[in-house]
Amino acid sequence: MMEEYAVVGKAFRSVGGSDKVTGRAQYLDDIELPGMLHAKILRSPHAHARILKIDTSKAAALPGVKAVLSAVDCPKLPFGLDVPDARIFAETKVRYAGDEVAAVAAETPKIAREALKLIDVRYELLPALFSPQEALQEGAPLVHEDKPGNLVKSYVIERGDVDADFAACDYVFEEEFASSRVTACYLEPFGAIARWEPDNRLTIWTGIQGAFQARSEIARALGMNPSQITVKVPAIGGAFGGKIWIRNFHPIVALLAKEARRPVKFVLTRPEEFAASRPRVPAKIKIKLGMLKDGTLVCKDTAIVADNGAYSWAAPKIVLNMSLRTDCLYRFKSVRTRSYLAYTNTTPTSGFRGYGNAQSHFAQESMIDVCARKAGLDPVEVRLKNAVRQGDLTLHGWKVRSCGLTECIEKARAAIARGRKPQADPNGTVKRGIGLACMNHVSGNRAGNNFDGSSSMVRFQEDGKLVLYHGESDMGQGARTVLAQIAAETLGIRPEDVLVMPIDTDVSPFCFGSYSSRVTTVAGKAAYLASLQVREQLLKLAATLLEAAPEDLDVREGRIFVRGGERKGISVADVCKSAIRTRATVGLTAYVAYDPPTEGANEDFYGDYSSAYTYAAQAVEVEVNTETGQIRVLRVAAAHDVGRAINPNGIRGQIYGGVAQGAGWALYENMVYEGGRLQNNSLRNYTMVTATDMPEVEPIIVETQDPVGPYGAKGIGEPALIPMPPAVANAVEDAVGVRIRDLPITAEKIYFSLNPECEGPAS
Amino acid sequence: MNIQDYLVPHHVDECLAMLNAWGGRGRLVAGGTDLVASLEYGKAQAEALIDISAMEDLMGFEIQDHELVVRAGSTHRQVSAAPRIRQLWPALSKACGSVGSPQIRNVATLAGNVVNAQPAADAAVALVALGARAEILSSGGRRLEAVENLYGGLGQSRIDSSREILVALRVPVPDAGEVNVYGRVSPRNSLCLPIVNAALSLKTAGGTVLSGRIAMGPVSDRPFRPERAEAALQGVALKDRAALSEVGRIAGEEANPRDSCLRGCSDYRRQLLTVLIRTLLEDAAAQTAEEA
Amino acid sequence: MMKALTFTLNGDQTRVEVDPGELLLDVLRRRLFLTGTKKGCGEGECGACTVLLDGQPVLACLLPAMKVQGRAVTTIEGLGHEQRLHPVQEAFLEKGAVQCGFCTPGMVLSSKSLLDGQPQPSEDEIKQALSGHLCRCTGYVQILEAVKDAAEKMTRAEGRKGHA
């Protein structure tokens, strides 16, 4: 039996929710500053071209224009992540259709837009590369002249003796899978406001996932010190990994504001969001898998070729995840992965819910079904037989401290089997099938020996209200709610009495930000530890007031009392008043910087890098029209090992939302390019699921009580998206016997697979 | 957009006078949903907007003698929600309910759907199949034209809404034995332009098709009528599934959908039309069976 | 030439000078500082800018402001405030239907409009009523639950009023 808590595991209204339902929540575009100008960015219409000339004089002369910038006006400091190759504006050439060429700040958005039309840019077109396969060919044109072979990064990771193990296998199968380019497509367009302060400091308002990372990157691009910059985070209208890192517009808006000596706002238009945001890294993944007759998975050899786009952001890290993580889902004896990440003349790719893990799961979890079917085995039984378990040390050195994978598989299988519809309709045109896919993920991810934790500061006010400072953005996933619940549980007060402060890098404790599904686990732990310290201070002072020993005291619902003598007590508010408004000089404040007990991976990528790994199995039922190939996802049973549910309503929300995004990707989300130009740059034709498309979803929460996470909790941000595409692919094969290996699984692809005599589209 | 004035006439004469006064630089706006986007992105030009939605004589719809008269101010929602229209013109009702979103259907008008001249326009496809005519008013007088003749190329209407007013759409009342149906295929269920759509209007007697009109989109620069498939409909027994399939096959063959990286390749879209037309014929058969 | 626009906004008679081609969304957000109406696309696709015009949901990003002359507009600011939330707002909080909140004002307004006309909608009617709103966070499930919950509570409250 798990311990019952007063606040943890109970449904609470989300922190900030009432501001959102009343329209008072302030998102970036809702902020108006006195004298604020509006910025627009001129982007390259070409995928690859030399810039012969940029003449901004006419734009600068337009009444109402207050600043015009292009590369000549800006610092030329490289910025970016592992491979810093970005500049504020394109300098000698443009590398994708959407590349920043110039920018304008004007009195109104309309004037700024007019001014863009007056900027004269001459280009000389260059041959462009649209796929990593082309880019890696000998003699291909170079995207960056100083990056030979267009190679951004490659990895070779090997554990055990793969070749010897293949030789000993009963079956060896090989297949290739491909994932498409999809975008986070949060509802609130990304943007920033910049204002220079009197002491030559810079304030940036931006709805970003990691405020401190943003601060250091903006500083790097501008050649400033991070402490000269303040990043403030307003309400964020969704992010899903698409707002982790800064964009070029962050330094651009700062420089425009400097030039104009006025605050400047920039918000992406929706077509710009599509053309110039950071889609998920598309990859071709070839898997060779060796197994025994009894279904034991023995070894795996994987080759990955991935598309970085024109500039490098998180793609190297994402390809690393893609190259490792699925190896730890089952008990493989040996694995080898060779991965190549190449520059192309397309929009730079980066993170979106799953951070590489979603792509490799599509490949591996499709592959398991293909292999099991070929071997005449039940794919679900194969998964159960090989599933990683609590206490395992995986072949990449992960320590599996808690693991509910087996339970997830069993529960998802049972749930989808209940209430199944007939496998075919009487007229024979509609067929139905079920499929299951698993996933593992992390709750935080340590890079090397660096800090992978979070910091928290909690402080009681004189009225007994608690103020909690942190630095992990709430993009809607409910970070603030979970932090408030953890603090309230630990301190014995009501969550409503916790004020979770907005993020301001001058005030907030140092944090990395909301990614890697890490906030509940690491920021929650920091809040827990800080709350414990304050609890100690609180009880110590209460003990003197109550004339009792601190260890005999307990606190519940805002009241401190002597255990066993419940009637003798004092309210938390009264103790706070005594601490602050008397000469007791008790701070009732704690600042904790927490770093999880993991060592991180070594240079060979071996090592335990997350304090809590998460597991899930999702089963789906689909319906396929054999005449048209049209497919509907009817039901989803989504079983997730969350360690311990802190906020069950929030977990359900993450599962439903992940299923929706995963179903959209599985069925139709796809950024389609012709000649390097995006053909669907609108919500009209980039199709994500609507209320009328959503399948019936049964969320199943599996609790394994993680030994490290706060109250046993693990992350749930990314997982629910990850198994959807392979589960749908597996269900389609179950229904109609065709295997779709490239996402999305469109009706058209199914139709042509069912009718191989018909000639499909030339692709 | 550089709009200098916004005018609200109260009757058609005043409206025509305003159009004349602006000499081709004024544009009629009904719901405005398509026009606003076009103006915003520079795809349309206008210096004055003349809003027809306050004109009493363009409001509502009614059944007169042998026609349904849908006046220019009628929205998709009004038409799709009207029980009488749902009963007699289910194709029109369903097509109007498929356009855009509820918010768009609350303001966008059928007349606008026709004037905007998009080949995928759901309501226009239904109107063509139903043999609807448009009543157009200009300073030169009043004229009636078949909706299918109003197209002058992709997205080009032969109605010049800087000089003319489409005052009403007139749809014949179905006779006994006449049925009409509409359907579409789209990747998702809402907020989606169709990959293909189609409407059929059939005259039947005793379970046999006497004649029929088929309109399909977006497979041409206008709602497309497959002549051979229409000819093949004559004399078909609605119970004869093979014959219905054959009509579908011919319609698919006659259509010439483009290869589209978003909507699918031509062969696939042809297959969808084949299945859609057959399915709609089956729906029509079910309807006549119900009525009989 | 600026035009004088007079309309009822959240129950109050409002007069504002606008450009003749100006969109309702810009008038609400930039001239009247009612920023609860969101701009998610500006192309009439996402539904975040939904407001009620004479009680019916419409898209403020596609509506010339002059179209509301003499008519009644309700924005999210007109629905309820923190101390006295509309039952739909209460239900959204109760069911966890709010994540990032960017689609929420529009969703709430379409839901209110639905329940005003159809106090006991079917699941399909709710889905249809919300089919013009994109939400990237929630997968819509808890939003549908919230609308059902609000419908039940409002019907029960009506019933009590009827008996009193």
Side-chain angles (χ1 to χ4, degrees):
Chain A
M1 264 306 277
M2 281 192 298
E3 199 178 336
E4 265 292 310
Y5 295 113
V7 178
V8 160
K10 301 288 191 313
F12 282 92
R13 291 188 170 194
S14 73
V15 171
S18 66
D19 287 337
K20 290 174 177 173
V21 297
T22 53
R24 283 185 317 173
Q26 207 175 37
Y27 302 81
L28 182 84
D29 198 25
D30 304 336
I31 299 173
E32 287 286 334
L33 298 178
M36 191 168 73
L37 302 172
H38 299 268
K40 293 282 171 192
I41 292 175
L42 183 70
R43 296 177 183 278
S44 166
H46 307 297
H48 198 190
R50 202 175 311 288
I51 300 173
L52 301 177
K53 180 189 110 171
I54 302 176
D55 181 355
T56 58
S57 55
K58 279 187 191 149
L62 186 72
V65 170
K66 299 296 170 189
V68 186
L69 297 175
S70 66
V72 292
D73 312 299
C74 298
K76 292 177 179 53
L77 302 166
F79 59 104
L81 304 172
D82 288 12
V83 185
D85 55 17
R87 301 290 190 284
I88 294 173
F89 287 106
E91 290 168 6
T92 55
K93 62 179 199 173
V94 289
R95 296 182 173 85
Y96 78 98
D99 215 345
E100 290 83 356
V101 175
V104 172
E107 296 285 356
T108 67
K110 193 171 159 185
I111 296 172
R113 214 158 50 202
E114 289 304 311
L116 289 190
K117 293 181 196 156
L118 299 175
I119 299 175
D120 183 16
V121 187
R122 298 285 161 82
Y123 297 101
E124 176 196 327
L125 296 188
L126 296 170
L129 298 163
F130 300 129
S131 77
Q133 286 75 17
E134 285 173 77
L136 291 172
Q137 263 170 26
E138 185 97 25
L142 293 180
V143 177
H144 292 265
E145 276 61 32
D146 59 346
K147 298 288 190 302
N150 291 316
L151 189 67
V152 185
K153 198 102 180 175
S154 64
Y155 302 99
V156 180
I157 300 165
E158 192 163 1
R159 311 274 183 243
D161 191 342
V162 184
D163 297 318
D165 287 341
F166 272 121
C169 280
D170 296 322
Y171 305 111
V172 176
F173 301 112
E174 198 168 340
E175 297 273 337
E176 189 175 54
F177 301 90
S179 69
S180 58
R181 203 174 255 261
V182 288
T183 178
C185 221
Y186 34 75
L187 260 268
E188 183 215 11
F190 204 4
I193 296 172
R195 183 175 71 190
W196 290 83
E197 309 297 350
D199 52 3
N200 214 24
R201 294 179 84 252
L202 168 66
T203 304
I204 301 261
W205 287 260
T206 185
I208 203 157
Q209 291 174 244
F212 286 89
Q213 309 268 46
R215 187 177 69 162
S216 62
E217 278 304 310
I218 295 167
R220 179 143 78 138
L222 296 175
M224 295 170 69
N225 293 320
S227 62
Q228 288 175 280
I229 300 171
T230 306
V231 174
K232 292 176 190 258
V233 182
I236 304 179
F240 317 108
K243 294 176 180 170
I244 298 181
W245 310 108
I246 67 158
R247 306 275 180 82
N248 296 53
F249 66 70
H250 286 97
I252 288 173
V253 76
L255 291 170
L256 285 170
K258 188 168 206 174
E259 175 80 10
R261 298 163 188 271
R262 303 255 296 264
V264 175
K265 178 193 277 185
F266 175 79
V267 179
L268 288 166
T269 64
R270 189 50 68 174
E272 269 182 306
E273 272 288 359
F274 279 102
S277 282
R278 303 283 178 258
R280 174 177 282 143
V281 179
K284 279 207 157 72
I285 302 179
K286 192 185 274 182
I287 301 186
K288 187 169 139 189
L289 193 143
M291 63 193 283
L292 301 181
K293 276 187 181 145
D294 69 354
T296 303
L297 302 174
V298 180
C299 51
K300 188 174 68 153
D301 193 359
T302 307
I304 298 175
V305 178
D307 187 349
N308 177 84
Y311 299 95
S312 185
W313 288 90
K317 193 63 187 291
I318 284 163
V319 172
L320 179 61
N321 287 343
M322 223 184 268
S323 308
L324 285 170
R325 202 165 290 169
T326 50
D327 299 343
C328 298
L329 182 59
Y330 302 111
R331 291 168 157 176
F332 289 106
K333 190 167 167 229
S334 60
V335 294
R336 177 169 55 215
T337 302
R338 279 171 283 222
S339 308
Y340 303 90
L341 176 65
Y343 283 111
T344 60
N345 293 111
T346 63
T347 309
T349 60
S350 193
F352 167 24
R353 210 172 193 170
Y355 228 69
N357 205 24
Q359 296 90 317
S360 52
H361 269 85
F362 173 62
Q364 175 170 301
E365 287 301 286
S366 295
M367 186 68 185
I368 300 287
D369 264 49
V370 170
C371 297
R373 282 170 183 279
K374 284 188 177 167
L377 299 166
D378 175 355
V380 178
E381 288 298 331
V382 169
R383 288 183 169 87
L384 280 170
K385 186 178 181 66
N386 295 279
V388 76
R389 282 158 202 269
Q390 186 174 322
D392 282 6
L393 176 71
T394 74
L395 77 186
H396 293 309
W398 296 9
K399 292 171 187 160
V400 181
R401 297 172 188 82
S402 61
C403 175
L405 179 57
T406 301
E407 192 180 341
C408 287
I409 297 172
E410 282 166 347
K411 287 193 162 158
R413 174 169 70 177
I416 208 71
R418 281 193 297 270
R420 267 200 76 176
K421 294 206 166 143
Q423 279 169 262
D425 273 4
N427 67 15
T429 57
V430 170
K431 293 192 171 166
R432 300 189 184 85
I434 56 172
L436 180 144
C438 298
M439 85 93 231
N440 63 345
H441 202 65
V442 294
S443 314
N445 183 349
R446 182 184 302 281
N449 294 320
N450 297 331
F451 179 67
D452 182 39
S454 185
S455 315
S456 188
M457 182 167 79
V458 300
R459 186 170 116 203
F460 268 118
Q461 308 276 30
E462 60 181 312
D463 56 3
K465 306 282 184 199
L466 189 80
V467 190
L468 190 156
Y469 298 86
H470 69 111
E472 316 285 12
S473 294
D474 195 328
M475 310 89 78
Q477 87 281 32
R480 289 197 289 168
T481 310
V482 163
L483 295 177
Q485 282 184 271
I486 288 173
E489 180 69 52
T490 310
L491 283 158
I493 57 177
R494 300 178 312 157
E496 302 87 286
D497 291 332
V498 181
L499 182 64
V500 185
M501 296 300 281
I503 295 169
D504 173 330
T505 52
D506 289 347
V507 181
S508 305
F510 182 86
C511 289
F512 268 163
S514 300
Y515 58 87
S516 275
S517 303
R518 63 199 291 284
V519 174
T520 296
T521 314
V522 295
K525 189 70 177 254
Y528 168 76
L529 294 171
S531 300
L532 266 191
Q533 288 186 13
V534 169
R535 180 188 164 105
E536 205 172 302
Q537 297 170 25
L538 185 75
L539 294 188
K540 200 171 152 196
L541 180 59
T544 51
L545 297 172
L546 290 171
E547 294 172 344
E551 56 273 20
D552 294 336
L553 297 184
D554 203 351
V555 49
R556 237 177 268 161
E557 288 173 39
R559 189 169 170 276
I560 300 166
F561 55 88
V562 181
R563 258 190 232 102
E566 262 76 355
R567 277 196 299 171
K568 189 175 174 190
I570 184 169
S571 75
V572 168
D574 283 342
V575 180
C576 290
K577 198 182 283 173
S578 297
I580 294 160
R581 287 271 181 179
T582 69
R583 300 180 69 181
T585 64
V586 178
L588 293 183
T589 300
Y591 185 120
V592 168
Y594 163 75
D595 195 37
T598 51
E599 63 268 20
N602 64 18
E603 63 285 352
D604 191 29
F605 312 108
Y606 183 91
D608 187 36
Y609 63 71
S610 181
S611 75
Y613 301 98
T614 50
Y615 299 90
Q618 287 182 190
V620 305
E621 181 176 17
V622 303
E623 177 176 288
V624 181
N625 181 317
T626 54
E627 286 187 314
T628 60
Q630 282 175 293
I631 164 175
R632 283 174 60 208
V633 178
L634 302 174
R635 291 189 301 135
V636 180
H640 286 261
D641 166 14
V642 299
R644 174 87 190 220
I646 305 263
N647 174 11
N649 249 354
I651 289 175
R652 287 203 301 136
Q654 291 302 305
I655 291 176
Y656 295 136
V659 163
Q661 291 179 356
W665 186 24
L667 299 179
Y668 32 64
E669 284 184 39
N670 190 14
M671 301 172 80
V672 180
Y673 290 79
E674 274 185 1
R677 280 189 210 148
L678 185 62
Q679 299 302 299
N680 48 345
N681 67 348
S682 143
L683 292 168
R684 180 187 329 241
N685 40 31
Y686 182 87
T687 38
M688 42 203 229
V689 302
T690 71
T692 55
D693 302 296
M694 195 53 194
E696 201 181 298
V697 185
E698 181 180 342
I700 300 163
I701 294 176
V702 170
E703 295 190 307
T704 51
Q705 198 66 36
D706 186 77
V708 179
Y711 297 98
K714 308 198 271 190
I716 184 66
E718 295 161 279
L721 178 147
I722 294 170
M724 276 307 285
V728 170
N730 293 343
V732 166
E733 182 166 15
D734 186 53
V736 292
V738 302
R739 169 60 55 180
I740 306 298
R741 293 171 181 79
D742 57 326
L743 291 172
I745 303 165
T746 62
E748 188 179 12
K749 288 179 192 169
I750 295 178
Y751 172 76
F752 284 112
S753 299
L754 284 170
N755 298 275
E757 73 285 0
C758 298
E759 213 167 303
S763 62
Chain B
M1 57 180 162
N2 227 334
I3 308 295
Q4 290 159 24
D5 208 352
Y6 194 97
L7 304 162
V8 187
H10 291 89
H11 47 82
V12 282
D13 295 340
E14 193 186 354
C15 181
L16 282 175
M18 286 171 176
L19 282 174
N20 286 336
W22 280 89
R25 291 168 294 121
R27 271 209 66 163
L28 296 185
V29 50
T33 51
D34 280 321
L35 182 63
V36 162
S38 303
L39 291 168
E40 197 71 14
Y41 287 90
K43 288 181 204 151
Q45 304 294 328
E47 290 177 24
L49 296 179
I50 301 166
D51 187 338
I52 62 166
S53 56
M55 287 156 69
E56 291 286 346
D57 43 1
L58 293 189
M59 283 191 188
F61 50 85
E62 66 191 338
I63 298 171
Q64 287 179 350
D65 303 330
H66 294 294
E67 275 181 331
L68 165 70
V69 180
V70 179
R71 296 202 184 81
S74 303
T75 64
H76 286 83
R77 175 168 176 272
Q78 288 164 342
V79 172
S80 68
R84 192 73 183 136
I85 295 180
R86 196 178 300 158
Q87 191 186 11
L88 290 174
W89 296 276
L92 184 62
S93 174
K94 196 171 170 195
C96 287
S98 308
V99 170
S101 63
Q103 299 97 308
I104 285 180
R105 297 195 288 272
N106 276 335
V107 289
T109 62
L110 262 68
N113 199 250
V114 168
V115 173
N116 200 40
Q118 292 301 320
D122 299 275
V125 166
L127 288 167
V128 167
L130 292 168
R133 291 177 304 163
E135 182 182 338
I136 301 155
L137 198 65
S138 68
S139 49
R142 188 177 295 257
R143 68 180 209 272
L144 275 177
E145 282 215 51
V147 169
E148 64 192 297
N149 294 336
L150 293 176
Y151 293 81
L154 190 68
Q156 296 294 313
S157 174
R158 288 179 47 218
I159 300 173
D160 177 356
S161 55
S162 68
R163 297 175 192 282
E164 300 176 305
I165 316 172
L166 194 175
V167 289
L169 293 157
R170 294 175 172 271
V171 190
V173 172
D175 291 330
E178 221 174 316
V179 289
N180 57 80
V181 283
Y182 169 85
R184 78 204 305 259
V185 179
S186 57
R188 65 179 175 191
N189 295 329
S190 311
L191 271 181
C192 208
L193 290 169
I195 297 175
V196 292
N197 59 3
L200 274 69
S201 168
L202 306 177
K203 289 187 198 302
T204 70
T208 301
V209 179
L210 303 176
S211 68
R213 293 168 64 95
I214 303 175
M216 308 189 291
V219 294
S220 167
D221 61 357
R222 65 198 69 197
F224 175 75
R225 285 186 59 197
E227 286 173 21
R228 286 197 290 120
E230 286 187 359
L233 268 176
Q234 289 174 27
V236 161
L238 283 167
K239 271 194 283 187
D240 184 351
R241 194 161 189 258
L244 302 185
S245 294
E246 178 61 10
V247 174
R249 195 191 60 75
I250 296 170
E253 201 175 83
E254 264 181 278
N256 189 22
R258 282 187 311 152
D259 279 328
S260 158
C261 60
L262 298 175
R263 287 189 163 124
C265 72
S266 177
D267 286 350
Y268 176 62
R269 296 174 66 203
R270 227 180 273 251
Q271 164 69 9
L272 290 182
L273 282 169
T274 301
V275 175
L276 178 62
I277 298 292
R278 192 205 71 218
T279 313
L280 289 176
L281 284 167
E282 288 167 357
D283 290 350
Q287 265 187 42
T288 52
E290 251 170 58
E291 277 167 28
Chain C
M1 186 184 67
M2 299 289 274
K3 305 285 282 188
L5 170 64
T6 311
F7 66 118
T8 306
L9 177 58
N10 297 328
D12 294 332
Q13 197 64 17
T14 302
R15 197 191 133 95
V16 57
E17 298 276 312
V18 305
D19 285 326
E22 202 167 342
L23 299 170
L24 180 62
L25 180 63
D26 293 327
V27 172
L28 291 172
R29 289 181 55 84
R30 307 258 174 252
R31 295 195 189 273
L32 299 168
F33 302 103
L34 294 179
T35 55
T37 307
K38 301 300 177 197
K39 182 176 181 177
C41 68
E43 303 178 315
E45 296 292 333
C46 75
C49 67
T50 299
V51 298
L52 303 184
L53 178 59
D54 295 333
Q56 295 300 318
V58 300
L59 299 172
C61 80
L62 291 185
L63 202 69
M66 289 303 291
K67 270 199 160 296
V68 308
Q69 185 77 264
R71 300 174 75 179
V73 172
T74 307
T75 69
I76 193 67
E77 289 88 350
L79 208 58
H81 50 83
E82 199 173 14
Q83 283 72 42
R84 199 191 169 84
L85 295 175
H86 185 276
V88 170
Q89 293 170 314
E90 283 281 351
F92 267 60
L93 292 178
E94 194 64 35
K95 295 291 170 187
V98 182
Q99 287 191 33
C100 87
F102 207 72
C103 73
T104 306
M107 288 272 192
V108 166
L109 288 168
S110 276
S111 304
K112 178 204 183 276
S113 169
L114 169 73
L115 298 181
D116 286 346
Q118 166 58 287
Q120 287 166 294
S122 67
E123 168 120 3
D124 196 54
E125 283 170 322
I126 300 173
K127 284 185 184 172
Q128 286 302 329
L130 299 180
S131 65
H133 294 268
L134 292 173
C135 169
R136 191 58 154 168
C137 296
T138 66
Y140 308 96
V141 179
Q142 287 152 298
I143 294 174
L144 302 180
E145 287 174 9
V147 180
K148 269 182 255 173
D149 185 58
E152 277 167 30
K153 287 191 176 135
M154 286 165 79
T155 306
R156 240 180 288 143
E158 271 306 303
R160 272 200 299 279
K161 249 190 277 171
H163 291 298

